[in-house]
Amino acid sequence: MLRMLKKLWCYVRHVSGDDAYEQYLKHHAEFHQATVDAPPALSRKEFFKLWQDSKWKGINRCC
């Protein structure tokens, strides 16, 4: 039962985007650390600012 609840919680976090930073860090470590000139990973604050800006960019309506 506890394992099923954990799986459900992981799914909810994934669907809502709550685990986006963890997924970003995993991707960055896997694909971007191999080169010497790779930029460092963004901080949590920088990541969410960039994520929110890209998500809401282009929305120009009032409601």
Side-chain angles (χ1 to χ4, degrees):
M1 177 71 172
L2 184 59
R3 191 175 75 189
M4 196 165 68
L5 286 174
K6 274 182 119 173
K7 279 189 161 193
L8 178 64
W9 182 247
C10 287
Y11 174 75
V12 169
R13 286 190 71 219
H14 182 71
V15 170
S16 69
D18 190 43
D19 70 342
Y21 184 67
E22 288 86 359
Q23 294 296 322
Y24 161 73
L25 288 177
K26 187 173 151 185
H27 170 83
H28 192 274
E30 189 173 334
F31 293 104
H32 300 288
Q33 291 296 339
T35 62
V36 176
D37 59 341
L42 298 173
S43 70
R44 183 178 291 268
K45 186 176 181 178
E46 293 169 327
F47 173 78
F48 277 109
K49 171 106 174 75
L50 184 66
W51 189 57
Q52 286 295 314
D53 289 347
S54 68
K55 182 177 179 182
W56 296 104
K57 181 181 177 184
I59 296 179
N60 296 324
R61 51 191 170 152
C62 66
C63 337

